[in-house]
Every structure is written in structure tokens, then in C-alpha cells.
């Protein structure tokens, strides 16, 4: 296999790598934008879910406040609470407007059977048709004495809540705790629909506020309560037409409210998001099952990821076209180089002319490559304009703006790669600086100025004042080594770089040492290869050509470069450089 064939094979592998990386970038951008859109949609679901939960908790808190105001009313009047005074109190609450979802507000009194006659006498004095029902064998009664509005709750007046377990258990728990309490699921006697409901209790006591369980039981006088039909409670929260989520409620194992029926309007058989939340609701555990509906799905369907994928694939086609052009150009360059090499073997005086012709060819190829690169940049601008016409200013869609900017950044990187390839091809040209001497101190001053660092950052000790051979490439080598030391330093402001040039008689030995993070041993050879970089994560961008240029420039003069470094302990690059042209020719003959 000829050297030209080997080179063509390397270039083909490079092309495959470039195409693969470009395709990975496109797919990565698509997946990233899709993930960002999904995160936005999920956050909207979380907001809708939290709003629903907060409405339930807030509304129950408001109902509790109303019940405690009833307790305050009872504490104020004591035994003088009458049907008329209770009706006046309930009307002042404006229940239908301020507390939608509640059936009413009532008073349940604790009656020992020994005091039943006195209790009934008090009711007769109010000239009311009042009776207690149903009969039971307990030694105390808990009749509903008053409830307003009475017209819609008449069936509940006189009901003894002690007769039924859930009603009685919740009330006694409220008595013992001294706090608000709701019952387990029940059916209200005044609910003709016979749907799940519950009672909400707040206790009151005779005399001063009790401080212990025994005092609360001894001085318990009754509760202020509110009856609820769960269906009406939810309707009072927020109309389903104004929500893009649906939910169900369970008290323990019993379903007390359900919006997940397939016959429900806007029901989604495969909701985008679901979640369950457990609420400690005044002594009961309510499980809220929240799911998105068809309205949520319609409002949260976005085509941005697909637009990005389509745009990326178009760019991918342009990149492949560009690489095909590059492959053809390289093949032509290799064939041309082979022809020139044959002539140069017998006509060494034509060497510089041939190099100039190759350099000119690289410039032409580079110019040809700029056209598709500019086309990619133009396409990015067109995509941005089209997207703004579809979805508005991209400032409101940072994820899309980020992907467009990423495309532009990759176009800029392609330009940098093209420039780097041109510079790599020109390493070794010395005609322009033949006979020129490079001041070592001036070189260090220029590096300090170019990299905008403090003068103390780069320290130099040198046995020679001038570099007298191939000064142009020597400057290029030093600028790359010092630049890399600063570029990859974790904190360039406090970096310390030491440059030493030692005269060994036959040649110069140069060392560039830094105090950065260092380079692991397994990468010491890799970093000198073309297009190889150790950049990770959000580290500085690199074309991977700088150190390849350094090595090529040094090897063109018959020497090599080596690295001493370990991870976390800085890096030191050392190389030899000829003192004059005679020394360079000797070294080149030794290499040959």
C-alpha cells in the first residue's frame, strides 16, 4: 500500500468521524430540545396539579374558619342560642356566595339522657315542630338542633348523629382533640342524589377552655358543623371547564369523587401525566389522583423539536456534500503530491516551488470549503426567521434559541478547523524570515500582551538572547505551548508559566512548564495527533491542531518533543531546536 493510499484512508476515516459527530450533534440537539419541551410540559402539569390541591386545602380552611366563627357565636350567647339567633348568625356569613359547595351550617348539642326532657322543653318553647330520630340505646344523644338554610336541610333537623358510626366517631374525635374534624364518607339525609358526603365538626365546651382530655369530655357541650356533598364541594372549587386536569378523591379505600370516567368530556385514555397526592384532611387521609385531559394534550403539543431535527438533517446533507468535496480535493492533492515527489527525488532545487504550489492548492481547497460553511450559517438564519414567523420571538423560547446558537457556533468551529488545517500545511516555511533573528525577551513580552495576562505570569530564563534559525516557526511553537498552558489552566489569573532555553552547544533545549491540572499519562501521545483534544464538559473549545503544529514544526528541524506530567501536578513540554542552518541540516540527515 503506497503512502498516498494510506493518507487517503486516513482522510476517509476523518470524514466518517466528522459526519458521525455532526449526526450525533443533530440527534443530541433534537433530544435535548425534546427533553426541554417535556420538562416545560411537566412543570405546567405540576402547576395545574398544585393549583387543584391548593384549592381543596384552601377551601377547607375557609370552611373551618366559618365553623370556628359559629363556635365563637355559641360561646358568646351560651345557653341563649335560639333558632332565631342562629338564623341571624348564618345569614351574616352569606354562605351561598362566600362558601360555595357547603350545604349549610348547623349546631349539634350533646344531650345526656338524664337531661333529655329539659332539652325538649327548650325546643318546645321555640314553637318548632321538633323531634329526635332515630332511636338507639346509647346513654347520650347528639341531635342536630339548628341548621341554616333550613329550607334545603329540613330533613336533617332533629337527626341524632350518635346513631351512625362514621358521624358519631368523627364528632367524638373532635370532642377529644378540641380541633376541627371531618367524618368518614356518609350519605346526607338531605341529599336526594344519595352521593358521597361528609360532616365537618368544630367543638365547643361549657365554661372556660378545657386543657386536658378529661376536661374536654366532662365539659363537652356540642359542635358547630357543616354538611357537605363531595360533588357540590368540588363544583364550588373550580369548574371542570376551567381546568386542564381531572382528579378523583378517595377517603381510605372508598372512592368519594371521580372525574376519570371514560364518559367524562375531554377524558384522555392515555394521559400525558398522572400523580397521586395524600392529604391529611382534618383527621382523615384523602388520596387525590390527578391526571391530564385532552385539553392539556392539545395545549401542550409542540413541533419545535421536529423543526430542529429537520433543520439539522438539512445541515447534515450540506456537511456530507462539503466532505465529499474535501475528499475529492484531498485525492487530487495526493495524486499531485505523488507526482511532485517523484520529481523532487531527483530535483531537490524544485522543493520550495513544489511546496508553494501545494500551499496554493490548500488555499484554493479552503476557499471552496468556505462556501458550504457559509451556506450552513445562512440556513441557520433562515430557520430562525421562519421559526419567529411561526412561534414568535425566539427570546421567549430559550431552548430553540440555544439550538440555533449551537449551529452558528459549529459553523464558527468549522471555520477554525479550516484555518488550522491551512496553518498545519504551512509549517516549515522559512523563506519569509530567512536571516531574521527573534529576540527571546520580545517574544515573551508579545505573548504576555497577546494573552492579556500579568507580566509576572510568564517567567523566562535563557542562555541565548536571540533565536537565529527558523524564528517564525519557533514563535509559532512557543505561542501554542504558552497559550495552551493558559487556556487549560483552572484559573489563568494566578497561573505561573516557566520558560527556559538552555544552550547545549550543538543545539538549544527549550522547556515550557506550568502549574495547571496536568495531563494523565495515557494521553501524552494522543494530544499531539491532529484533531485530538482533551476538552470535556464545558471546558474551552479547541480545534485539536495546535500541538500537532508544534510537533510538526519541531520534527521538520530533525528533533522531537516530549512531555512530563501527571494528573493534578502541572505539565512540562521539552524540545530541542537548532542553533543555525548547518545544525538543522545535520539533524535532518540523521533522521533520514
Amino acid at each position: 500500500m503506497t503512502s498516498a493510499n494510506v493518507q487517503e484512508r486516513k482522510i476517509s476515516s476523518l470524514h466518517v468521524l466528522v459526519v458521525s459527530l455532526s449526526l450525533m450533534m443533530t440527534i443530541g440537539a433534537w433530544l435535548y430540545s425534546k427533553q426541554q419541551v417535556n420538562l416545560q410540559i411537566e412543570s405546567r402539569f405540576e402547576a395545574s396539579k398544585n393549583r387543584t390541591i391548593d384549592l381543596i386545602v384552601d377551601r377547607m380552611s375557609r370552611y373551618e374558619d366559618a365553623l370556628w366563627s359559629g363556635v365563637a357565636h355559641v360561646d358568646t350567647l351560651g345557653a341563649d342560642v335560639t333558632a332565631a339567633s342562629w338564623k341571624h348568625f348564618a345569614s351574616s356569613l352569606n354562605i351561598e356566595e362566600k362558601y360555595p359547595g357547603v350545604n349549610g351550617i348547623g349546631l349539634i348539642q350533646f344531650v345526656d339522657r338524664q337531661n333529655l326532657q329539659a332539652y325538649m322543653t327548650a325546643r318546645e318553647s321555640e314553637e318548632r315542630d321538633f323531634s329526635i330520630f332515630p332511636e338507639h340505646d346509647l346513654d347520650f344523644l347528639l341531635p342536630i338542633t339548628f341548621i341554616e338554610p333550613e329550607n334545603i336541610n329540613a330533613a336533617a333537623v332533629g337527626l341524632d348523629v350518635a346513631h351512625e358510626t362514621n358521624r358519631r366517631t368523627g364528632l367524638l374525635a373532635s370532642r377529644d382533640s378540641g380541633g376541627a374534624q371531618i367524618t368518614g364518607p356518609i350519605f346526607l339525609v338531605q341529599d336526594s342524589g344519595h352521593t358521597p358526603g361528609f360532616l365537618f365538626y368544630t367543638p365547643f365546651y361549657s365554661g372556660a377552655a378545657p386543657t386536658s382530655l378529661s376536661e374536654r369530655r366532662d365539659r363537652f357541650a356540642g359542635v358547630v358543623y357543616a354538611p357537605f356533598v363531595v360533588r357540590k364541594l368540588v363544583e364550588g372549587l373550580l369548574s371542570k371547564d376551567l381546568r386542564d386536569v381531572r382528579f378523583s378523591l378517595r377517603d381510605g379505600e372508598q372512592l368519594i369523587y371521580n372525574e376519570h370516567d371514560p364518559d367524562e368530556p375531554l377524558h384522555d385514555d392515555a394521559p400525558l401525566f398522572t400523580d397521586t397526592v395524600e392529604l391529611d384532611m382534618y383527621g382523615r387521609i384523602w388520596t387525590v389522583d390527578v391526571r391530564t385531559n385532552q385539553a392539556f394534550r392539545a395545549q401542550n403539543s409542540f413541533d419545535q423539536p421536529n423543526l430542529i431535527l429537520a433543520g439539522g438533517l438539512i445541515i447534515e446533507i450540506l456537511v456530507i456534500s462539503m466532505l465529499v468535496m474535501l475528499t475529492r480535493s484531498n485525492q487530487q492533492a495526493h495524486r499531485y503530491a505523488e507526482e511532485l515527489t517523484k520529481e523532487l527525488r531527483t530535483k531537490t532545487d524544485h522543493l520550495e516551488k513544489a511546496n508553494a504550489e501545494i500551499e496554493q492548492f490548500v488555499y484554493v481547497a479552503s476557499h471552496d470549503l468556505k462556501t458550504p460553511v457559509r451556506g450552513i450559517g445562512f440556513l441557520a438564519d433562515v430557520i430562525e426567521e421562519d421559526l419567529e414567523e411561526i412561534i414568535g420571538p425566539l427570546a421567549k423560547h430559550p431552548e430553540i434559541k440555544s439550538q440555533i446558537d449551537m449551529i452558528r457556533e459549529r459553523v464558527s468551529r468549522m471555520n477554525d478547523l479550516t484555518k488550522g488545517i491551512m496553518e498545519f500545511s504551512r509549517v516549515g516555511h522559512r523563506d519569509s524570515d530567512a536571516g531574521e533573528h527573534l529576540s527571546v525577551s520580545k517574544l515573551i513580552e508579545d505573548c504576555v500582551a497577546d494573552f492579556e495576562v500579568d507580566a509576572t505570569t510568564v517567567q523566562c530564563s535563557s542562555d541565548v538572547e536571540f533565536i537565529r534559525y527558523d524564528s517564525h516557526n519557533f514563535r509559532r511553537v512557543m505561542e501554542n505551548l504558552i497559550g495552551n498552558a493558559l487556556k487549560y489552566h483552572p484559573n489563568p489569573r494566578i497561573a505561573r508559566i516557566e520558560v527556559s532555553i538552555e544552550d547545549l552547544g550543538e543545539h538549544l533545549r527549550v522547556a515550557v512548564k506550568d502549574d495547571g491540572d496536568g495531563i494523565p499519562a495515557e494521553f501524552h501521545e494522543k494530544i499531539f495527533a491532529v484533531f485530538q483534544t482533551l476538552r470535556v464538559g464545558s471546558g474551552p473549545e479547541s480545534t485539536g491542531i495546535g500541538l500537532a503544529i508544534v510537533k510538526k514544526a519541531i520534527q521538520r528541524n530533525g528533533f522531537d518533543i516530549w512531555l512530563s506530567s501527571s494528573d493534578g501536578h502541572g505539565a512540562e513540554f521539552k524540545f530541542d531546536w537548532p542553533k543555525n542552518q548547518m545544525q538543522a541540516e545535520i539533524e535532518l540527515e540523521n533522521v533520514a
Side-chain angles (χ1 to χ4, degrees), residues 206-338:
S206 59
T211 59
S212 65
L213 175 61
S214 60
E215 288 184 357
R216 284 192 286 271
R217 290 181 174 179
D218 291 341
R219 290 157 49 191
F220 178 63
V223 296
V224 176
Y225 91 106
F228 290 88
V229 175
V230 179
R231 172 180 50 81
K232 293 182 179 179
L233 169 66
V234 175
E235 290 173 354
L237 292 176
L238 182 64
S239 172
K240 286 193 291 187
D241 296 336
L242 301 178
R243 287 188 274 115
D244 52 11
V245 295
R246 294 290 185 261
F247 69 93
S248 65
L249 289 175
R250 286 185 179 275
D251 184 311
E253 297 298 323
Q254 184 170 346
L255 183 67
I256 59 175
Y257 181 75
N258 184 29
E259 294 178 349
H260 300 324
D261 192 294
D263 295 331
E264 281 279 335
L266 300 178
H267 173 76
D268 193 341
D269 292 329
L272 293 177
F273 295 98
T274 65
D275 197 7
T276 57
V277 179
E278 288 190 350
L279 299 177
D280 187 354
M281 191 61 66
Y282 298 100
R284 305 291 299 182
I285 299 298
W286 282 4
T287 302
V288 187
D289 180 0
V290 186
R291 307 177 189 176
T292 57
N293 61 7
Q294 290 288 355
F296 185 92
R297 182 184 293 275
Q299 295 169 8
N300 293 279
S301 296
F302 295 100
D303 294 327
Q304 290 96 324
N306 294 332
L307 290 173
I308 291 174
L309 179 61
L313 292 177
I314 293 173
I315 294 174
E316 188 70 22
I317 293 173
L318 292 176
V319 170
I320 293 174
S321 301
M322 180 186 67
L323 292 179
V324 169
M325 293 175 58
L326 179 61
T327 300
R328 292 175 179 174
S329 298
N330 283 337
Q331 291 173 350
Q332 293 174 3
H334 294 155
R335 287 194 293 269
Y336 188 51
E338 279 189 350

Side-chain angles (χ1 to χ4, degrees), residues 154-167:
V157 176
L159 176 68
D160 186 351
V161 301
H163 84 283
E164 191 266 326
T165 301
N166 280 355
R167 290 175 170 85

Side-chain angles (χ1 to χ4, degrees), residues 22 26 307-321 370-388 394 400 403-409 411:
S22 180
T26 299
L307 290 173
I308 291 174
L309 179 61
L313 292 177
I314 293 173
I315 294 174
E316 188 70 22
I317 293 173
L318 292 176
V319 170
I320 293 174
S321 301
K370 290 180 180 179
T371 299
V373 172
R374 284 197 299 269
I376 294 173
F378 174 74
L379 179 60
D381 293 336
V382 171
I383 292 175
E384 182 175 11
E385 291 176 1
D386 291 344
L387 285 176
E388 287 183 337
L394 294 190
I400 300 178
Q403 302 309 315
I404 297 296
D405 291 341
M406 185 184 296
I407 293 173
R408 293 196 178 100
E409 187 272 336
V411 169

